[in-house]
Amino acid sequence: MLIAWLGASLEGRTVLEATRNDAAQRAALDAAAGKTRRLEIDVLATRRTLELHFGPVVGGAVLTARDVTASKRMEAARRDFVANASHELRTPVTAISGAAETLLGGAMDDKERGRQFVEIIARHADRLSHLTRSLLDLSRIESGEWRVDLQPLDAKECAAVAIDLERQAAERRSMVLKQEVPADTWVLADRRALEQVLINLVDNAVKHTPTGGTVTVTSQVEPGGVVLAVLDTGPGIERHHLTRIFERFYRVDPGRAREAGGAGLGLAIVRHLVEAQGGTIGVDSGSGGTRFWVRLPRHSIVTQPSPW
Ligand code: ADP
């Protein structure tokens, strides 16, 4: 019989009545007979996992319950992460070993075919390196190892770094890259993190916008901060994807994105970096294109009056 269960008085009720769990009832009877028992139960009504410990005492048993929901969820998230990461790594590794085997099996002697397979190896090795870098970045950020160093930064300079880096890719596809961030747009941010955020967003915009389109980086000063946005004239993202797009390994079109080498980690990294800087991130999208925005704390430069 129990005296209390999860804060509620249950005096006079059996363990089975209180927990609705056969195993818990059996463990209680075992404990009353002198055996220590430990078990985990899922309480469906509250969606929590409890670790129960039944210990024998004179004249009965004592039950100690520990809420292990958070650690169970973390464990599950870690397992998911390892499974997803292994799955993503397997594709390029399989492609590389397949191409190498074909080369060794004779393709090496045919100059034209040989070159094709070496190109496959180079492309997938590139993808592997991108993937491992993203995974490392993500785990560093999530574990708190990546420390941000917030300082006053001119957002125009950071936007220029991203635009310069993407210029060639944009030119190859006859796209226009525009930077509409006025000089002296001061934010309080970490230089490396902010540049990485803008590079990822501009890179995505260029990748997903058809030939001849336009990608623009803009800024807007608001009372609560500065909003930097990356706009594109691409096909847009369907509404039901928008709430999940910042999750790691989430892809809008898994088949096509995997072809293009994406593992759905870019925006997860971006979100973490923005939040680590005390900012917020969001996305608006429609048939005319997509707008990713980042709100960061504003740094107002107070100019001291000249003493002369
Ligand atoms: P990846 O690292 O694979 O590029 P991301 O996390 O950066 O993945 O993006 C997740 C998904 O969001 C991508 O699969 C892509 O389909 C979609 N996406 C991201 N940016 C845009 C954009 N500007 N326009 C359309 N789709 C986009």
Side-chain angles (χ1 to χ4, degrees), residues 186-206:
W186 292 93
V187 291
L188 201 58
D190 173 289
R191 183 178 294 281
R192 208 158 53 106
L194 180 54
E195 285 177 3
Q196 181 76 59
V197 164
L198 292 171
I199 290 169
N200 278 16
L201 292 179
V202 174
D203 183 63
N204 270 354
V206 169

Side-chain angles (χ1 to χ4, degrees), residues 204-205 207-208 232 236-237 245 250-253 257 262-268 290 292:
N204 270 354
K207 261 193 327 219
H208 296 286
D232 66 52
I237 304 165
I245 204 153
Y250 190 81
R251 281 179 290 221
V252 167
D253 177 348
L265 291 175
L267 289 176
T290 301
F292 279 94

Side-chain angles (χ1 to χ4, degrees), residues 196 242 280:
Q196 181 76 59
L242 296 180
T280 46

Side-chain angles (χ1 to χ4, degrees), residues 2-72:
L2 278 182
I3 294 178
W5 174 247
L6 298 179
S9 169
L10 291 168
E11 195 156 356
R13 296 188 38 201
T14 65
V15 171
L16 184 61
E17 283 164 352
T19 62
R20 293 163 195 269
N21 188 297
D22 280 340
Q25 168 77 1
R26 277 195 305 276
L29 293 175
D30 285 352
K35 289 176 224 140
T36 301
R37 287 283 180 259
R38 186 193 298 275
L39 79 155
E40 244 173 47
I41 63 165
D42 290 315
V43 184
L44 295 179
T46 51
R47 302 179 70 199
R48 308 207 70 81
T49 306
L50 299 179
E51 187 186 88
L52 306 183
H53 180 270
F54 291 91
V57 288
V58 178
V62 162
L63 160 62
T64 322
R66 197 160 67 93
D67 188 339
V68 291
T69 316
S71 65
K72 282 268 144 195

Side-chain angles (χ1 to χ4, degrees), residues 103 106-116:
L103 279 169
M108 209 157 43
D109 303 328
D110 176 338
K111 212 168 165 204
E112 188 48 35
R113 277 187 71 219
R115 190 184 167 78
Q116 275 174 14

